[in-house]
Amino acid sequence: MSQEEEQRFEDEGEESFGPLLVAKLQEVGISPQDIKKLQEAGLHTVEAVAYTPKKTLCAIKGISEAKADKIISEAQKIVPLGFQSATEIHMRRSELVCITTGSKQLDTLLGGGIETGSITELFGEFRTGKSQICHTLAVTCQLPTSMGGGEGKCLYIDTEGTFRPVRLLAVAERYGLNGEEVLDNVAYARAYNADHQQQLLLTASALMAESRFALLIVDSCTALYRTDFNGRGELSARQGHLGKFLRTLLRLADEYGIAVVVTNQVMSSPDAAGAMFAGNDKKPI
């Protein structure tokens, strides 16, 4: 096989797997200017465009209703959104990678580890090890798949200031990895309010379109919502904002095939505490 044929084979292989960049829509008549507008709105893949409601596209400055119809139509021709057989779904799920937590017992409870393409929630009281598991996963996701890793980088959104790089170095030493390379493969951001936390997901999408990431961590998911929204009067707004955030996380997991891990705090349930045969009176927020 010649060098040109090898290169063409590699390029075709890259297109066959993983998300399709939104620039591919140029091939079906979407202008570069409109593609740039989509990217600025956080839509970096054809899948993202196909999954986005029409009203959201129309809200982008410079995208008319006619343009939105054409963009969605072309995106949905590339990304199949119809019915598929259960056999196809089973084959796709059998190829999912699980990322080890560093504990064989916990991996067994989770059915092999943290599943890619979905959201995993870790909840518990203060000092129960939620952040420690997140630090461990930020390293193990970089391992080869043969060692329980995801062969990708990690995105870490910290809302409470609990991120400590020294913990990553300790885990890297355990697995015999180069500490500097491990730290370089973790993209960290501190979120300071609920709106900023949502905005960081747009940045994360842009980063994932440029490089291979295996894991996105949000520690913790609800901490900022507890301080930014107060009382029953803002309950509806809080739930709507949180629902949008979680939906964006799920969309990223679907688009890029990454594992998403969020931590959550707990609250006491007065009803459970008063019941005679009730178990744990703590529940996630």
Side-chain angles (χ1 to χ4, degrees), residues 205-281:
S205 179
L207 290 173
M208 285 187 275
E210 297 173 357
S211 185
R212 163 64 183 161
F213 283 85
L215 176 66
L216 170 61
I217 296 171
V218 184
D219 184 26
S220 106
C221 182
T222 56
L224 296 176
Y225 287 93
R226 300 185 75 180
T227 56
D228 291 0
F229 298 89
N230 299 311
R232 292 185 177 275
E234 293 187 306
L235 180 61
S236 177
R238 185 184 79 169
Q239 294 303 95
H241 199 296
L242 180 58
K244 182 181 178 181
F245 178 76
L246 293 173
R247 182 66 190 89
T248 306
L249 286 178
L250 186 57
R251 196 196 77 193
L252 292 176
D254 286 337
E255 284 178 44
Y256 297 99
I258 62 168
V260 175
V261 173
V262 300
T263 66
N264 197 359
Q265 300 164 341
V266 295
M267 60 183 291
S268 296
S269 176
D271 295 336
M276 182 178 300
F277 301 106
N280 193 345
D281 64 339

Side-chain angles (χ1 to χ4, degrees), residues 97-102 114 116 133-156 168 171 175 177 182 185-187 212-217 258-261:
V97 174
C98 287
I99 300 172
T100 179
T101 61
I114 303 297
T116 54
I133 293 177
C134 290
H135 283 77
T136 302
L137 288 169
V139 177
T140 59
C141 74
Q142 303 178 37
L143 293 170
T145 53
S146 59
M147 296 177 63
E151 297 183 1
K153 301 178 182 179
C154 172
L155 284 159
Y156 201 114
L168 303 185
V171 178
Y175 286 98
L177 300 176
V182 166
N185 287 333
V186 177
R212 163 64 183 161
F213 283 85
L215 176 66
L216 170 61
I217 296 171
I258 62 168
V260 175
V261 173

Side-chain angles (χ1 to χ4, degrees), residues 56-260:
T56 303
L57 289 184
C58 291
I60 300 173
K61 187 177 181 180
I63 301 293
S64 64
E65 186 173 345
K67 280 186 179 180
D69 286 332
K70 179 174 174 56
I71 290 171
I72 292 175
S73 175
E74 296 299 339
Q76 292 183 352
K77 288 178 184 177
I78 299 173
V79 180
L81 297 181
F83 287 99
Q84 295 175 300
S85 70
T87 301
E88 291 176 296
I89 302 300
H90 176 66
M91 289 178 62
R92 192 177 303 127
R93 287 196 57 81
S94 66
E95 296 172 356
L96 289 177
V97 174
C98 287
I99 300 172
T100 179
T101 61
S103 166
K104 291 182 179 179
Q105 290 81 3
L106 184 54
D107 286 347
T108 301
L109 288 174
L110 293 172
I114 303 297
E115 187 179 277
T116 54
S118 60
I119 300 176
T120 302
E121 179 190 28
L122 307 174
F123 67 91
E125 297 180 66
F126 181 65
R127 298 188 67 85
T128 52
K130 302 186 299 296
S131 293
Q132 181 58 47
I133 293 177
C134 290
H135 283 77
T136 302
L137 288 169
V139 177
T140 59
C141 74
Q142 303 178 37
L143 293 170
T145 53
S146 59
M147 296 177 63
E151 297 183 1
K153 301 178 182 179
C154 172
L155 284 159
Y156 201 114
I157 298 177
D158 179 16
T159 66
E160 298 181 289
T162 56
F163 180 76
R164 298 293 181 269
V166 68
R167 295 191 190 178
L168 303 185
L169 294 174
V171 178
E173 184 178 353
R174 170 189 171 185
Y175 286 98
L177 300 176
N178 183 295
E180 288 187 8
E181 292 182 0
V182 166
L183 294 183
D184 287 341
N185 287 333
V186 177
Y188 169 82
R190 174 73 187 274
Y192 293 97
N193 57 62
D195 290 333
H196 184 212
Q197 183 173 319
Q198 176 71 36
Q199 183 65 32
L200 285 173
L201 294 188
L202 298 181
T203 308
S205 179
L207 290 173
M208 285 187 275
E210 297 173 357
S211 185
R212 163 64 183 161
F213 283 85
L215 176 66
L216 170 61
I217 296 171
V218 184
D219 184 26
S220 106
C221 182
T222 56
L224 296 176
Y225 287 93
R226 300 185 75 180
T227 56
D228 291 0
F229 298 89
N230 299 311
R232 292 185 177 275
E234 293 187 306
L235 180 61
S236 177
R238 185 184 79 169
Q239 294 303 95
H241 199 296
L242 180 58
K244 182 181 178 181
F245 178 76
L246 293 173
R247 182 66 190 89
T248 306
L249 286 178
L250 186 57
R251 196 196 77 193
L252 292 176
D254 286 337
E255 284 178 44
Y256 297 99
I258 62 168
V260 175

